[in-house]
PDB file of all heavy atoms in Angstrom:
ATOM      1  N   ASN A1347      13.549 -15.144  19.192  1.00  0.00           N
ATOM      2  CA  ASN A1347      12.549 -15.886  19.948  1.00  0.00           C
ATOM      3  C   ASN A1347      11.191 -15.181  19.872  1.00  0.00           C
ATOM      4  O   ASN A1347      10.147 -15.829  19.734  1.00  0.00           O
ATOM      5  CB  ASN A1347      12.993 -16.044  21.398  1.00  0.00           C
ATOM      6  CG  ASN A1347      12.181 -17.056  22.140  1.00  0.00           C
ATOM      7  OD1 ASN A1347      12.218 -18.237  21.813  1.00  0.00           O
ATOM      8  ND2 ASN A1347      11.445 -16.606  23.137  1.00  0.00           N
ATOM      9  N   TYR A1348      11.203 -13.866  19.967  1.00  0.00           N
ATOM     10  CA  TYR A1348       9.979 -13.070  19.870  1.00  0.00           C
ATOM     11  C   TYR A1348       9.249 -13.372  18.560  1.00  0.00           C
ATOM     12  O   TYR A1348       8.043 -13.633  18.547  1.00  0.00           O
ATOM     13  CB  TYR A1348      10.348 -11.580  19.964  1.00  0.00           C
ATOM     14  CG  TYR A1348       9.183 -10.640  19.848  1.00  0.00           C
ATOM     15  CD1 TYR A1348       8.455 -10.281  20.976  1.00  0.00           C
ATOM     16  CD2 TYR A1348       8.822 -10.094  18.615  1.00  0.00           C
ATOM     17  CE1 TYR A1348       7.391  -9.411  20.882  1.00  0.00           C
ATOM     18  CE2 TYR A1348       7.751  -9.229  18.516  1.00  0.00           C
ATOM     19  CZ  TYR A1348       7.041  -8.882  19.649  1.00  0.00           C
ATOM     20  OH  TYR A1348       5.981  -8.022  19.540  1.00  0.00           O
ATOM     21  N   PHE A1349       9.974 -13.362  17.451  1.00  0.00           N
ATOM     22  CA  PHE A1349       9.356 -13.651  16.153  1.00  0.00           C
ATOM     23  C   PHE A1349       8.933 -15.110  16.036  1.00  0.00           C
ATOM     24  O   PHE A1349       7.863 -15.413  15.516  1.00  0.00           O
ATOM     25  CB  PHE A1349      10.307 -13.294  15.004  1.00  0.00           C
ATOM     26  CG  PHE A1349      10.509 -11.822  14.826  1.00  0.00           C
ATOM     27  CD1 PHE A1349      11.764 -11.268  14.940  1.00  0.00           C
ATOM     28  CD2 PHE A1349       9.448 -10.987  14.527  1.00  0.00           C
ATOM     29  CE1 PHE A1349      11.961  -9.905  14.773  1.00  0.00           C
ATOM     30  CE2 PHE A1349       9.625  -9.624  14.361  1.00  0.00           C
ATOM     31  CZ  PHE A1349      10.889  -9.078  14.489  1.00  0.00           C
ATOM     32  N   ALA A1350       9.764 -16.027  16.512  1.00  0.00           N
ATOM     33  CA  ALA A1350       9.471 -17.461  16.400  1.00  0.00           C
ATOM     34  C   ALA A1350       8.205 -17.833  17.156  1.00  0.00           C
ATOM     35  O   ALA A1350       7.447 -18.706  16.705  1.00  0.00           O
ATOM     36  CB  ALA A1350      10.653 -18.278  16.915  1.00  0.00           C
ATOM     37  N   GLN A1351       7.941 -17.181  18.269  1.00  0.00           N
ATOM     38  CA  GLN A1351       6.756 -17.496  19.056  1.00  0.00           C
ATOM     39  C   GLN A1351       5.488 -16.883  18.483  1.00  0.00           C
ATOM     40  O   GLN A1351       4.388 -17.272  18.871  1.00  0.00           O
ATOM     41  CB  GLN A1351       6.941 -17.047  20.501  1.00  0.00           C
ATOM     42  CG  GLN A1351       7.968 -17.882  21.228  1.00  0.00           C
ATOM     43  CD  GLN A1351       8.075 -17.494  22.688  1.00  0.00           C
ATOM     44  OE1 GLN A1351       7.682 -16.410  23.106  1.00  0.00           O
ATOM     45  NE2 GLN A1351       8.621 -18.401  23.477  1.00  0.00           N
ATOM     46  N   ARG A1352       5.606 -15.946  17.560  1.00  0.00           N
ATOM     47  CA  ARG A1352       4.450 -15.237  17.035  1.00  0.00           C
ATOM     48  C   ARG A1352       4.165 -15.526  15.560  1.00  0.00           C
ATOM     49  O   ARG A1352       3.285 -14.912  14.969  1.00  0.00           O
ATOM     50  CB  ARG A1352       4.648 -13.738  17.229  1.00  0.00           C
ATOM     51  CG  ARG A1352       4.518 -13.325  18.669  1.00  0.00           C
ATOM     52  CD  ARG A1352       5.094 -11.948  18.935  1.00  0.00           C
ATOM     53  NE  ARG A1352       4.897 -11.563  20.319  1.00  0.00           N
ATOM     54  CZ  ARG A1352       5.610 -12.012  21.345  1.00  0.00           C
ATOM     55  NH1 ARG A1352       6.563 -12.888  21.136  1.00  0.00           N
ATOM     56  NH2 ARG A1352       5.365 -11.610  22.569  1.00  0.00           N
ATOM     57  N   SER A1353       4.926 -16.466  14.981  1.00  0.00           N
ATOM     58  CA  SER A1353       4.775 -16.693  13.540  1.00  0.00           C
ATOM     59  C   SER A1353       5.344 -18.053  13.161  1.00  0.00           C
ATOM     60  O   SER A1353       5.828 -18.793  14.014  1.00  0.00           O
ATOM     61  CB  SER A1353       5.520 -15.597  12.763  1.00  0.00           C
ATOM     62  OG  SER A1353       6.914 -15.738  12.949  1.00  0.00           O
ATOM     63  N   ASP A1354       5.310 -18.334  11.881  1.00  0.00           N
ATOM     64  CA  ASP A1354       5.916 -19.547  11.336  1.00  0.00           C
ATOM     65  C   ASP A1354       7.284 -19.256  10.726  1.00  0.00           C
ATOM     66  O   ASP A1354       7.756 -19.982   9.862  1.00  0.00           O
ATOM     67  CB  ASP A1354       5.002 -20.172  10.271  1.00  0.00           C
ATOM     68  CG  ASP A1354       3.753 -20.762  10.878  1.00  0.00           C
ATOM     69  OD1 ASP A1354       3.818 -21.228  12.032  1.00  0.00           O
ATOM     70  OD2 ASP A1354       2.702 -20.754  10.206  1.00  0.00           O
ATOM     71  N   ILE A1355       7.913 -18.179  11.175  1.00  0.00           N
ATOM     72  CA  ILE A1355       9.251 -17.831  10.698  1.00  0.00           C
ATOM     73  C   ILE A1355      10.243 -18.850  11.242  1.00  0.00           C
ATOM     74  O   ILE A1355      10.257 -19.142  12.440  1.00  0.00           O
ATOM     75  CB  ILE A1355       9.642 -16.409  11.153  1.00  0.00           C
ATOM     76  CG1 ILE A1355       8.774 -15.368  10.441  1.00  0.00           C
ATOM     77  CG2 ILE A1355      11.119 -16.139  10.906  1.00  0.00           C
ATOM     78  CD1 ILE A1355       8.975 -13.949  10.944  1.00  0.00           C
ATOM     79  N   GLY A1356      11.087 -19.386  10.366  1.00  0.00           N
ATOM     80  CA  GLY A1356      12.165 -20.258  10.797  1.00  0.00           C
ATOM     81  C   GLY A1356      13.322 -19.422  11.306  1.00  0.00           C
ATOM     82  O   GLY A1356      13.417 -18.231  11.015  1.00  0.00           O
ATOM     83  N   THR A1357      14.197 -20.020  12.075  1.00  0.00           N
ATOM     84  CA  THR A1357      15.352 -19.299  12.601  1.00  0.00           C
ATOM     85  C   THR A1357      16.597 -20.160  12.462  1.00  0.00           C
ATOM     86  O   THR A1357      16.527 -21.384  12.576  1.00  0.00           O
ATOM     87  CB  THR A1357      15.148 -18.932  14.085  1.00  0.00           C
ATOM     88  OG1 THR A1357      15.037 -20.128  14.869  1.00  0.00           O
ATOM     89  CG2 THR A1357      13.906 -18.081  14.284  1.00  0.00           C
ATOM     90  N   VAL A1358      17.717 -19.510  12.225  1.00  0.00           N
ATOM     91  CA  VAL A1358      18.991 -20.217  12.189  1.00  0.00           C
ATOM     92  C   VAL A1358      20.102 -19.244  12.587  1.00  0.00           C
ATOM     93  O   VAL A1358      20.167 -18.124  12.098  1.00  0.00           O
ATOM     94  CB  VAL A1358      19.274 -20.863  10.803  1.00  0.00           C
ATOM     95  CG1 VAL A1358      19.407 -19.827   9.715  1.00  0.00           C
ATOM     96  CG2 VAL A1358      20.505 -21.749  10.848  1.00  0.00           C
TER      97      VAL A1358
END
Side-chain angles (χ1 to χ4, degrees):
N1347 193 65
Y1348 179 87
F1349 290 120
Q1351 291 184 340
R1352 288 163 177 77
S1353 68
D1354 290 329
I1355 292 173
T1357 63
V1358 64

